[in-house]
Amino acid sequence: MTRQIGFIGLGIMGGPMAMNLLKAGYRLVVNSRTKIKAQAVLDAGAVWADSAAQVAENNQIILICVPDTPDVEKVLLGSKGVITTARPGTICVDHSTISPKQTQIMARQLEQKQITLLDAPISGGQIGAIEAKLSIMVGGPADALEKVRPVLQTIGRNIVHCGSSGSGQMTKLANQIMVIHTVMSIAEGLAFAEKAGLNLQTTFDATSSGAASSASLKNLGPKIIAGDMKPAFMVDLQLKDLRLVLECAEEMKQPLPGVALAKQLLTVLQAQGRGGDGTQAMIDVIRGLGRKSTFHFNSGLF
Amino acid sequence: MTRQIGFIGLGIMGGPMAMNLLKAGYRLVVNSRTKIKAQAVLDAGAVWADSAAQVAENNQIILICVPDTPDVEKVLLGSKGVITTARPGTICVDHSTISPKQTQIMARQLEQKQITLLDAPISGGQIGAIEAKLSIMVGGPADALEKVRPVLQTIGRNIVHCGSSGSGQMTKLANQIMVIHTVMSIAEGLAFAEKAGLNLQTTFDATSSGAASSASLKNLGPKIIAGDMKPAFMVDLQLKDLRLVLECAEEMKQPLPGVALAKQLLTVLQAQGRGGDGTQAMIDVIRGLGRKSTFHFNSGLF
């Protein structure tokens, strides 16, 4: 297997993933929408290519990590896309979270040129990307996954084959459903505690290791307590994922009332110009729904 | 400190808690609404008392674990209640999950007879009770907590003083808010995955250790996959807790749209006569909202 691979999309996830591949000894040919985002990996030895097509000319494994469905379409099928130059046998691994349906459609188009598309969305956030601890949910032919598994093991550690094309994306959407509910859990739970005049750190200590525990409580709870709304995962991107969830759910005729509610609450943040905040900012929406004063336990609650 | 204590309420939580106290060498005087539930602890050496009043005659530490606010009121303030016989200095530790406001009111009434009420609701489920791994959220005077701490360490391991009277209950309600959201997370996440034709075990493997993880996913996810709706925590009791949550939230003027939705969804189960099922049965409500057929990935999704 070649030790040279292509990498397209060097944002807050793709950047550290590419860096881990370089550290593991892979030679990388990279392309990104804005070249400045590539600087760190170029400094670390990666080679720049001017387009996805140019990446595909000399690489038979191409990893992609871009924001949304149209971005992946442009990278794969655009006029300077992978499809214009890739040789038969090329495997594209798409780490973006995008439409399962469009993934299936693109996979079929690429298949006609003997290019395999694996959908391989990731979970674990920027820290997971930096520490090479991503969960990778893979859809597509199992034999193609086995060919790229050593590469994926360099960037993640829980690599699960979820089924045929699109099923990695669908699994990621199920993941995002659960994530946003756990974000809503801490938004409402901690806003309630705060309103009641409880000490939030004490509430966290009493609840974070029991039945109420979640990755969101453990990772985002301390940020809320510290008043830190910087993004571990941005509201804008979470809303993009929830749009994909609800599009799929509608097509499958599966109502998801909780997700619909969570999306409305996050949209409040977007409307307030806070789409770049972390999803933990949902607590500010819940806070804003309530009366301003808080109760004070030590002077009698009610 | 006395090694003899009173214990009132020997249900699915109180029973194993009392058993752990006996195992640790405490002499127990017990009372329960239905004597048959006391049989196991009586066989293990506990002594029966015919009423809460009789328990209080000879015990200055009394643990209580009953279902709801009126049950605690009856035990403490009823005509055969603790207040009728307890000596000054008695400490009552209420492990039930009940109204924070009524807790404060009762604590004040008992205080007039120099009886201290600690609210000390528990989290961790029946397994936590059996394994003495309960989280205990304590409200009331810190010095009273220190007097009973050795007793509580026999039944739990995360004992947190949350503040003055009622704050243990309020913390428990914040806990229950977060719990029901995580239950809703797996109900919607796994129903979505199932409808999409994904393998639920694979979905669980791909999501349960990442950003979507929660105690509910880890503990109840496998039950859902196995079709096991037996209660780890009953719908009826969860609805009781959510009623308490929304009563407090209303009094504090704090809207909690997610909790309100979750309560409606659980109420569907109660309406169907499934109040004795475990809360994981919420997935059946979400399933029931959707179209009956599922997609099949392997034959193309859409």
Side-chain angles (χ1 to χ4, degrees):
Chain A
M1 207 64 201
T2 175
R3 295 285 292 172
Q4 181 177 305
I5 59 185
F7 203 109
I8 298 169
L10 298 162
I12 65 167
M13 296 299 286
M17 290 160 71
M19 202 61 93
N20 283 325
L21 290 164
L22 286 168
K23 278 184 206 157
Y26 286 100
R27 293 190 302 280
L28 283 196
V29 178
V30 304
N31 173 260
S32 200
R33 198 165 39 180
T34 44
K35 190 171 179 182
I36 197 157
K37 287 193 183 166
Q39 200 56 54
V41 294
L42 294 177
D43 290 348
V47 174
W48 178 256
D50 281 325
S51 65
Q54 201 180 320
V55 171
E57 269 172 23
N58 295 304
N59 294 285
Q60 292 205 281
I61 294 178
I62 301 166
L63 275 49
I64 300 159
C65 196
V66 295
D68 205 349
T69 312
D71 307 301
V72 177
E73 284 171 340
K74 192 177 167 199
V75 162
L76 291 175
L77 309 175
S79 60
K80 291 177 184 176
V82 166
I83 200 166
T84 62
T85 57
R87 280 173 288 171
T90 297
I91 299 173
C92 297
V93 185
D94 178 23
H95 294 297
S96 324
T97 297
I98 66 164
S99 159
K101 183 177 179 174
Q102 288 309 115
T103 293
Q104 291 192 323
I105 292 169
M106 289 189 288
R108 279 184 215 136
Q109 270 186 267
L110 291 165
E111 212 177 359
Q112 290 168 7
K113 301 231 172 186
Q114 289 166 272
I115 303 164
T116 301
L117 175 63
L118 292 173
D119 46 311
I122 49 185
S123 176
Q126 195 182 15
I127 289 169
I130 292 167
E131 296 179 351
K133 290 177 180 170
L134 296 168
S135 288
I136 310 180
M137 307 163 202
V138 185
D143 58 341
L145 168 57
E146 291 320 309
K147 284 181 190 160
V148 299
R149 190 181 284 274
V151 177
L152 300 187
Q153 280 166 340
T154 305
I155 56 174
R157 60 175 179 189
N158 188 28
I159 301 161
V160 178
H161 186 234
C162 301
S164 56
S165 177
S167 60
Q169 294 296 351
M170 201 59 102
T171 303
K172 175 68 188 292
L173 295 185
N175 186 77
Q176 296 307 77
I177 290 171
M178 294 194 274
V179 168
I180 197 56
H181 274 99
T182 63
V183 171
M184 191 158 60
S185 86
I186 64 171
E188 292 203 349
L190 297 181
F192 175 91
E194 185 178 69
K195 177 72 63 182
L198 294 173
N199 179 293
L200 281 194
Q201 184 63 50
T202 307
T203 304
F204 179 85
D205 294 342
T207 61
S208 61
S209 59
S213 76
S214 63
S216 289
L217 179 55
K218 283 179 186 157
N219 298 330
L220 301 179
K223 286 178 188 279
I224 286 174
I225 292 168
D228 174 7
M229 296 300 167
K230 289 195 296 293
F233 190 58
M234 277 202 301
V235 168
D236 280 342
L237 283 174
Q238 179 69 265
L239 277 170
K240 183 265 294 183
D241 290 356
L242 296 183
R243 170 178 57 72
L244 293 170
V245 165
L246 292 178
E247 280 172 9
C248 280
E250 187 173 338
E251 191 136 13
M252 300 190 302
K253 303 276 187 286
Q254 176 59 61
L256 296 174
V259 171
L261 171 60
K263 185 162 181 281
Q264 296 300 315
L265 295 172
L266 277 184
T267 302
V268 174
L269 289 170
Q270 215 179 37
Q272 293 171 342
R274 298 182 64 185
D277 279 6
T279 52
Q280 70 271 26
M282 191 196 277
I283 192 171
D284 285 343
V285 179
I286 304 298
R287 283 167 170 154
L289 297 174
R291 183 160 63 181
K292 282 225 170 100
S293 63
T294 59
F295 286 81
H296 294 287
F297 255 104
N298 293 323
S299 55
L301 175 60
F302 290 102
Chain B
M1 207 64 201
T2 176
R3 295 287 291 172
Q4 181 177 304
I5 59 185
F7 203 109
I8 298 169
L10 299 162
I12 65 166
M13 296 299 285
M17 290 160 72
M19 201 61 93
N20 283 325
L21 290 164
L22 286 168
K23 278 184 205 157
Y26 286 99
R27 294 190 301 280
L28 283 197
V29 179
V30 302
N31 173 260
S32 201
R33 197 164 42 181
T34 43
K35 191 172 178 180
I36 197 158
K37 287 193 182 167
Q39 201 55 55
V41 294
L42 294 176
D43 291 346
V47 174
W48 178 255
D50 282 325
S51 65
Q54 201 180 319
V55 171
E57 269 173 21
N58 296 304
N59 294 285
Q60 293 205 279
I61 294 177
I62 301 166
L63 274 49
I64 300 160
C65 197
V66 296
D68 205 348
T69 312
D71 307 301
V72 177
E73 285 172 339
K74 192 177 168 198
V75 162
L76 291 175
L77 307 174
S79 60
K80 291 179 182 174
V82 166
I83 200 168
T84 62
T85 57
R87 280 173 287 172
T90 298
I91 299 173
C92 296
V93 185
D94 178 23
H95 295 296
S96 324
T97 298
I98 67 164
S99 159
K101 182 177 181 175
Q102 289 309 117
T103 293
Q104 291 192 324
I105 291 169
M106 289 189 287
R108 280 183 213 136
Q109 270 186 269
L110 291 164
E111 211 177 0
Q112 291 167 7
K113 301 231 172 186
Q114 292 167 269
I115 303 165
T116 301
L117 176 62
L118 292 173
D119 46 310
I122 49 184
S123 176
Q126 195 182 14
I127 287 169
I130 291 167
E131 296 180 351
K133 291 178 180 171
L134 295 169
S135 288
I136 310 181
M137 306 162 203
V138 185
D143 58 341
L145 169 58
E146 291 319 309
K147 284 181 190 160
V148 299
R149 191 181 284 274
V151 177
L152 301 188
Q153 280 167 338
T154 306
I155 57 176
R157 61 176 179 187
N158 187 28
I159 301 162
V160 178
H161 186 233
C162 300
S164 57
S165 177
S167 60
Q169 294 296 351
M170 202 58 103
T171 304
K172 176 68 188 289
L173 295 185
N175 186 77
Q176 296 306 78
I177 289 171
M178 294 193 274
V179 168
I180 197 57
H181 274 98
T182 62
V183 171
M184 191 158 58
S185 86
I186 63 171
E188 292 203 349
L190 296 182
F192 175 91
E194 184 178 71
K195 177 71 64 180
L198 294 174
N199 179 292
L200 281 193
Q201 184 63 49
T202 306
T203 303
F204 180 84
D205 294 342
T207 60
S208 61
S209 60
S213 76
S214 64
S216 289
L217 180 55
K218 282 178 187 157
N219 299 329
L220 302 179
K223 286 179 189 279
I224 286 173
I225 292 168
D228 173 8
M229 295 301 167
K230 288 196 295 292
F233 190 60
M234 276 201 302
V235 167
D236 281 342
L237 284 173
Q238 179 68 265
L239 277 170
K240 184 263 295 180
D241 291 356
L242 295 183
R243 171 177 57 71
L244 294 170
V245 165
L246 292 179
E247 279 171 9
C248 280
E250 187 172 338
E251 192 134 16
M252 300 191 300
K253 303 275 187 286
Q254 177 58 62
L256 296 173
V259 171
L261 170 61
K263 185 162 181 281
Q264 296 300 316
L265 295 173
L266 278 183
T267 303
V268 173
L269 289 170
Q270 214 178 37
Q272 293 171 343
R274 299 182 63 185
D277 278 6
T279 52
Q280 71 271 25
M282 191 196 277
I283 193 173
D284 286 343
V285 180
I286 303 298
R287 283 168 170 154
L289 297 174
R291 182 161 62 181
K292 283 225 169 104
S293 62
T294 58
F295 285 81
H296 295 286
F297 256 102
N298 293 323
S299 55
L301 176 59
F302 290 102

